[in-house]
Amino acid sequence: MSDIFESLESEVRSYCRGWNTVFDRASGSFLYSEDGHEYLDFFSGAGALNYGHNHPALLRPLLEYLLSGAVVHSLDMKTKAKRRFLETFHELILKPRDLNYKVMFPGPTGTNSVEAALKLARKATGRFHVLGFTNAFHGMTLGSLAVTGNSMKRQGAGIPLTHASSIPYDGFLAGETPDFLWLRSALADSGSGLEKPAAVIVETVQGEGGLRAARASWLRELSEICREHDILLIVDDVQAGCGRTGTFFSFENTGIVPDIVCLSKSISGFGLPLALTLFKPELDLWKPGEHNGTFRGNNPAFVTGAAALEHFWQDRKFEQEIAAVTAQLHEGLRLIANATEGATVRGRGLLAGIHYPDPTAAGKIAAESFSRGLLVETSGPEGEVLKTMPALTISTTELRHGLEILAEAAEAITGQKIVLRTVA
Ligand SMILES: *Cc1c(COP(=O)(O)O)cnc(C)c1O
């Protein structure tokens, strides 16, 4: 049966193929299809819905704002909504963490933030080469693709992706060589052929590339190498940020302070498009309008973004709640993984999943989960990792319910009995 999505919408569509239903309403951790099925959401808009769907603390101020006749679109003009967002971000996020960053609003998507970061790093250093990591994902525009690992996505560029190279992420070489052996040696040797980079761009957890999580010590060493060689460190926190790994920024508690930070996905809190590029004040070398864009002043997103920070990030209580949910998720994943020889739990915080030795297993379990009312996706170059990303606001009961569906789906696919009894 063909429908308008298949007859009119491009073949490029992707998520709707695995989850072939028409969604209608959404609330908290649930989505509802027009034919009346309920789906528990372990996907959370790929990280754009950290506070769940239609959270009332964000919906109400948004509706009030829209109904009040306030300005919606304003490029980068000064608005009350933008002032409130900047003040709140400064007071609740930057100041308590002792982070001294300027805030730039690039276009409203993650890849816009990455492009701005790369451009600025090149401008500030006068160098053009950038280092990215194996299995990294930074977005689909040309600059971001050049530092992205996935060969199918890179192929889509249609032109050579240049001025970047890929070096091993934490765990890529399975601990067989000391961390950064090649990078240190190449930077030290003028005959290495490595163009001195402007920047290194890194995800602390590889959201799309297979959920490898970098160790804090590895990140610290990377940061030290960057400092020693006057290379800028960019952390792409588009997916791992906004509380996903347990703290607002994923690099808190690692001891590193990146020169540039990319945020998007959940920064509006409501699923509205918004992105920020943060950088140390001495890097603010832009000329007015040098990096421009029509949709940088998304006032509805400023309203929900400020409301999200005020509702969730006033104090440390939310971090404790995330920690409790994280413990429950990881325990459940461990029990599910234990049933399959060679399966391992990957990730950090509520960006976690299971790597299966059979690269087809995760995709089959995700499909089986959908038929049982759970949205869960895969990650990694072959889709070999089952990726769970519940809302940070999910309840214990909802999380248990989701883990039970996941366990049943995994049982159906692997044929191994799974008991989740120790999950609270
Ligand atoms: C999703 C993502 C991006 C790209 O964001 P878009 O809004 O899809 O352009 C960049 N980096 C990371 C780490 C992401 O997860």
Side-chain angles (χ1 to χ4, degrees), residues 49-350:
L49 292 163
N50 279 3
Y51 315 114
H53 296 266
N54 292 320
H55 196 288
L58 314 188
L59 177 60
R60 236 176 276 117
L62 174 64
L63 289 177
E64 279 163 20
Y65 185 83
L66 292 172
L67 291 169
S68 74
V71 63
V72 170
H73 181 264
S74 52
L75 289 123
D76 68 1
M77 289 183 265
K78 294 180 185 176
T79 62
K80 283 170 69 176
K82 182 152 105 179
R83 179 167 58 204
R84 173 111 179 242
F85 177 82
L86 283 168
E87 284 172 354
T88 311
F89 190 72
H90 181 247
E91 282 303 310
L92 298 183
I93 302 301
L94 296 180
K95 218 163 89 182
R97 290 162 183 77
D98 216 9
L99 291 170
N100 185 18
Y101 287 131
K102 292 294 287 286
V103 177
M104 169 180 182
F105 298 108
T109 70
T111 199
N112 291 143
S113 176
V114 171
E115 294 287 350
L118 296 175
K119 239 194 216 186
L120 186 61
R122 287 172 168 136
K123 184 176 168 69
T125 58
R127 299 173 220 137
F128 57 79
H129 199 71
V130 176
L131 298 179
F133 287 94
T134 49
N135 289 306
F137 180 78
H138 296 293
M140 300 299 281
T141 52
L142 294 179
S144 306
L145 269 183
V147 283
T148 287
N150 186 290
S151 57
M152 187 267 275
K153 296 198 161 74
R154 292 176 65 89
Q155 199 70 39
I159 56 165
L161 294 168
T162 55
H163 307 323
S165 40
S166 183
I167 59 175
Y169 192 73
D170 193 6
F172 186 76
L173 298 175
E176 281 163 27
T177 45
D179 295 338
F180 301 109
L181 177 63
W182 180 85
L183 181 60
R184 279 192 186 283
S185 311
L187 287 170
D189 188 333
S190 63
S192 69
L194 176 71
E195 192 75 41
K196 182 164 179 177
V200 172
I201 182 165
V202 68
E203 299 158 273
T204 63
V205 184
Q206 297 190 311
E208 300 302 303
L211 294 181
R212 279 201 173 90
R215 287 164 297 151
S217 59
W218 185 90
L219 289 167
R220 276 194 297 275
E221 189 171 355
L222 176 64
S223 168
E224 274 160 33
I225 295 171
C226 287
R227 189 151 15 93
E228 280 164 30
H229 292 272
D230 191 26
I231 298 164
L232 296 172
L233 178 63
I234 304 170
V235 168
D236 179 349
D237 235 3
V238 166
Q239 186 161 163
C242 302
R244 187 43 67 185
T245 63
T247 51
F248 186 84
F249 293 106
S250 70
F251 54 82
E252 287 175 48
N253 308 331
T254 66
I256 67 165
V257 181
D259 298 294
I260 306 179
V261 181
C262 301
L263 280 181
S264 181
K265 290 206 167 90
S266 270
I267 188 63
S268 85
F270 199 71
L272 295 173
L274 184 65
L276 315 185
T277 310
L278 312 175
F279 37 80
K280 293 183 173 167
E282 61 270 25
L283 292 175
D284 197 3
L285 302 168
W286 295 113
K287 294 196 187 79
E290 192 178 0
H291 187 79
N292 228 328
T294 307
F295 288 106
R296 288 168 303 136
N298 188 350
N299 288 291
F302 289 146
V303 170
T304 56
L309 299 179
E310 281 163 11
H311 189 79
F312 292 103
W313 298 97
Q314 290 282 357
D315 51 38
R316 316 224 74 143
K317 197 165 139 273
F318 190 45
E319 292 180 6
Q320 290 158 11
E321 291 166 13
I322 302 171
V325 180
T326 297
Q328 191 190 349
L329 176 67
H330 283 244
E331 171 71 352
L333 291 177
R334 196 178 58 74
L335 292 169
I336 296 169
N338 280 351
T340 303
E341 174 99 37
T344 51
V345 176
R346 278 197 185 170
R348 192 151 72 82
L350 296 179

Side-chain angles (χ1 to χ4, degrees), residues 15-16 18-49 51-55 270-271 369-370 372-377 389-391 394 398 401 405:
Y15 290 109
C16 58
W19 301 328
N20 191 9
T21 189
V22 179
F23 293 100
D24 182 17
R25 287 172 310 113
S27 173
S29 284
F30 289 95
L31 279 153
Y32 304 90
S33 63
E34 69 177 355
D35 57 5
H37 287 101
E38 178 184 278
Y39 295 92
L40 183 56
D41 191 354
F42 267 23
F43 170 62
S44 299
L49 292 163
Y51 315 114
H53 296 266
N54 292 320
H55 196 288
F270 199 71
S369 297
F370 177 69
R372 294 164 185 263
L374 179 74
L375 296 189
V376 63
E377 70 163 336
M389 243 181 146
I394 195 167
E398 289 162 347
H401 179 49
I405 299 177

